[in-house]
Amino acid sequence: MTDNLDATDPRTLPGFFDALADGTLLGGVCTDCEQVLLPPRPACYACGSRAVDVEPQAREGQVFSYTAVHTPPPGFAADAPYTIAVVELADGGRLLGRVAADYADVAIGDSVELTVRELTAAEREVALDYEVDWPVHVFEPR
Amino acid sequence: MPEPVIASVGASPLGRTDLPGRDLFSVALAEAFDGLPDPADLVEAVYVGNQSESYEHQIMHGTLLAEWAGLRYVPAERVEGCAAAGALALRHAVKDVRNGEHEAVLACGVEKMTSAGTSGATDALSAAFDRAIEQRSGVTAPSQYALLAQRYLHETDATERDLAEIAVKNHANAARNPRAQFPEEIDVATVLESDPVAPPLKLFDCAPVGDGAAAVLVTTAELAADLDRPQVRVAGSGASANNIAVAERDMTDIAGARIAAETAYEEANIDATAVDIAEVHDAFTVCEALLAEAVGFAPPGTGYQSHRAPAERADGWTDVQLSPSGGLKARGHPIGATGILQALEAYEQLTGAAGDRAVEGAETALLLNEGGVADAVTVGHVLTTAEAR
Ligand SMILES: [Zn+2]
């Protein structure tokens, strides 16, 4: 294995979130089987290959499944109920995230676009030290 | 190779109790060793399934519970895999006996979930999901499984009413189980009209928060016979991990569960049609439907018929009875103890000790225990009567 990872490498979480803070969603793309990995990581879960390229991913996608959280963890109480979805992105990867819409206004197949914001004060309180500057992504209906 | 058997079982009361975890364990252990020599005269190693230190600010459960059992200088460890911790502990005990390392191993599980209220349990359970993306988006155990349920209802003919019928069936089973946390029958309207937790899942689609401990003694068949104990063979054991993030899995084909079950079937030299009873991981109603399909009981898209009598299910279904204990839904789901409670139910069913809820003629059981959401980790065991040898 030739990996020499440091915190600037997008196959680590700091590297991934640094790029996301600048508005770029990076995915790993397996050069052997084309599986998209969100976030990027050193190895492909689909085939085991470690030949993983890092490429910007389309921010548009469609709702694959969704729900709403009525019984939130303590740090998210003020936001409840909030909508969560698994989104299939146009480049093939799937990513879970909040949706900026009421549950009743969302359906499977809806088009959404990934946006990025900083943590709220409440989110900051439950963040680990190293997570405080990592942004959160939110899917906006299109 | 020595053949591992379960030679004895015990459990604490389940639900909201006034006992801390170690004391719940003592209660379970006392039942398991009723009429047997003391643990110190039998047990050579201890595995403890336990989800989270956040309930009692306590790790080191191997050391602690071995000590509370009167054992000293034996190998003892906590096993972690969220709600699959109990079956992982059982699997370690089974392997130790099978490979000849020990003749008698205690596999147990304990969780004191009510120590910090519902929000404490919600927070502790959320640690089972990917921290970077999922936790930071505010997911919960019900919301993770709701994503599967939404997808399942979208892809199949199943309705929310079908899922509610699974809860009704499992409560009816629990009503005949003196160990159950909720031994009460309910009707479909109660489920459908209960509060939304994570739509389409409602309160009565969800297994409860509760305390509990359980213990099983895994021994060689010879030792169980010497002890004059009814024995149940552990004929197969399989385990499988899948991705931690739910988004990166097939959300209706629960592949890890299929692999864990098939591994256990293969070791037991059976197929799914041989299974008479199954305790599957119905933490949420939809799980019973998904798992019935994954482990080969039901054709794809028909698992939601698990609540029906065998003759009324779709073609291709086996005659298996699911969750005779009442399942996680109504028997109870004290996370780290659940996999051991599943083994306890199978032991009682296969040794004629299941009383009113006995499934007639049951000789072969499948246990399926999951941790994280769905098949993030799955453990399957096949248990059979000694006669089925
Ligand atoms: Zn690959």
Side-chain angles (χ1 to χ4, degrees):
Chain A
M1 296 199 301
T2 54
D3 293 322
N4 186 18
L5 295 176
D6 63 29
T8 64
D9 191 311
R11 292 171 300 171
T12 70
L13 292 175
F16 169 74
F17 282 112
D18 274 353
L20 191 63
D22 294 335
T24 304
L25 176 68
L26 293 177
V29 180
C30 176
T31 62
D32 287 321
C33 79
E34 299 183 346
Q35 180 68 50
V36 176
L37 312 164
L38 289 172
R41 65 208 69 168
C44 171
Y45 65 77
C47 76
S49 170
R50 299 184 67 85
V52 175
D53 285 347
V54 175
E55 295 176 11
Q57 300 294 300
R59 292 145 55 113
E60 299 79 32
Q62 294 186 317
V63 172
F64 184 77
S65 192
Y66 68 106
T67 184
V69 175
H70 287 257
T71 56
F76 298 82
D79 296 349
Y82 48 87
T83 307
I84 299 247
V86 168
V87 172
E88 196 153 72
L89 294 166
D91 288 330
R94 286 214 302 242
L95 185 66
L96 178 146
R98 295 271 281 268
V99 182
D102 287 346
Y103 175 80
D105 298 331
V106 177
I108 288 175
D110 280 2
S111 292
V112 294
E113 178 168 9
L114 180 139
T115 63
V116 175
R117 63 163 173 78
E118 294 183 351
L119 298 191
T120 63
E123 288 166 349
R124 228 168 248 274
E125 280 203 11
V126 295
L128 304 171
D129 283 355
Y130 65 76
E131 296 172 334
V132 169
D133 294 326
W134 291 359
V136 169
H137 63 277
V138 176
F139 292 106
E140 297 275 354
R142 296 181 73 208
Chain B
M1 218 163 45
E3 178 175 79
V5 303
I6 295 176
S8 195
V9 300
S12 72
L14 307 176
R16 186 171 292 280
T17 72
D18 56 4
L19 292 177
R22 71 180 74 183
D23 299 321
L24 291 167
F25 165 75
S26 292
V27 173
L29 189 75
E31 183 190 357
F33 281 79
D34 185 30
L36 285 178
D38 288 340
D41 297 325
L42 276 180
V43 174
E44 298 169 18
V46 179
Y47 294 100
V48 184
N50 175 253
Q51 178 222 336
S52 179
E53 54 272 28
S54 68
Y55 299 118
E56 298 187 282
H57 203 266
Q58 179 73 65
I59 57 174
M60 300 292 286
H61 278 86
T63 296
L64 176 66
L65 300 192
E67 181 184 345
W68 252 243
L71 303 165
R72 203 177 200 184
Y73 306 128
V74 300
E77 65 186 77
R78 170 195 180 196
V79 181
E80 190 275 316
C82 196
L88 287 169
L90 174 61
R91 180 173 156 82
H92 288 315
V94 165
K95 291 172 82 163
D96 280 1
V97 171
R98 200 187 266 175
N99 70 24
E101 184 160 349
H102 299 299
E103 277 186 286
V105 181
L106 187 64
C108 53
V110 62
E111 214 72 60
K112 178 65 185 176
M113 295 181 76
T114 63
S115 63
T118 305
S119 81
T122 299
D123 199 38
L125 288 165
S126 74
F129 311 120
D130 166 58
R131 174 72 187 178
I133 303 290
E134 293 180 330
Q135 288 186 45
R136 294 173 73 252
S137 297
V139 304
T140 61
S143 82
Q144 292 283 76
Y145 279 96
L147 294 168
L148 306 189
Q150 189 84 272
R151 197 67 213 172
Y152 188 71
L153 297 181
H154 180 74
E155 291 179 13
T156 69
D157 295 333
T159 63
E160 290 185 45
R161 188 182 182 88
D162 289 311
L163 299 184
E165 295 273 18
I166 293 173
V168 169
K169 183 263 292 176
N170 287 351
H171 273 266
N173 289 350
R176 300 194 298 273
N177 184 355
R179 298 184 187 274
Q181 179 171 348
F182 288 129
E184 296 101 24
E185 299 209 20
I186 57 169
D187 58 19
V188 169
T190 301
V191 184
L192 291 176
E193 291 163 16
S194 62
D195 288 342
V197 173
L201 299 178
K202 297 160 285 287
L203 183 63
F204 275 83
D205 286 297
C206 309
V209 166
D211 307 334
V216 301
L217 180 64
V218 180
T219 70
T220 60
E222 292 71 22
L223 179 56
D226 288 348
L227 294 168
D228 202 22
R229 291 290 307 165
Q231 51 179 280
V232 164
R233 298 169 62 213
V234 185
S237 175
S240 171
N242 201 349
N243 294 25
I244 192 153
V246 69
E248 292 194 321
R249 284 184 258 151
D250 189 314
M251 291 165 59
T252 48
D253 175 14
I254 312 300
R258 187 173 62 245
I259 290 163
E262 283 178 355
T263 304
Y265 293 156
E266 200 168 304
E267 284 190 1
N269 202 20
I270 63 165
D271 62 26
T273 60
V275 176
D276 302 308
I277 56 170
E279 288 285 312
V280 299
H281 198 85
D282 62 318
F284 300 89
T285 46
V286 70
C287 305
E288 193 173 290
L290 289 167
L291 292 174
E293 297 173 21
V295 305
F297 298 153
T302 68
Y304 67 90
Q305 298 171 9
S306 69
H307 62 89
R308 298 186 192 168
E312 289 160 29
R313 297 168 179 161
D315 286 349
W317 254 92
T318 74
D319 289 343
V320 69
Q321 294 287 340
L322 286 112
S323 308
S325 70
L328 283 58
K329 174 70 193 81
R331 185 272 321 286
H333 183 28
I335 307 294
T338 288
I340 304 295
L341 287 166
Q342 291 180 327
L344 180 155
E345 174 68 14
Y347 182 85
E348 294 189 331
Q349 288 283 353
L350 299 180
T351 59
D356 290 348
R357 69 183 188 288
V359 176
E360 204 182 309
E363 293 189 341
T364 300
L366 176 72
L367 313 179
L368 203 86
N369 193 198
E370 289 184 333
V373 54
D375 55 341
V377 58
T378 314
V379 187
H381 283 99
V382 170
L383 272 51
T384 70
T385 58
E387 294 72 39
R389 196 173 303 256

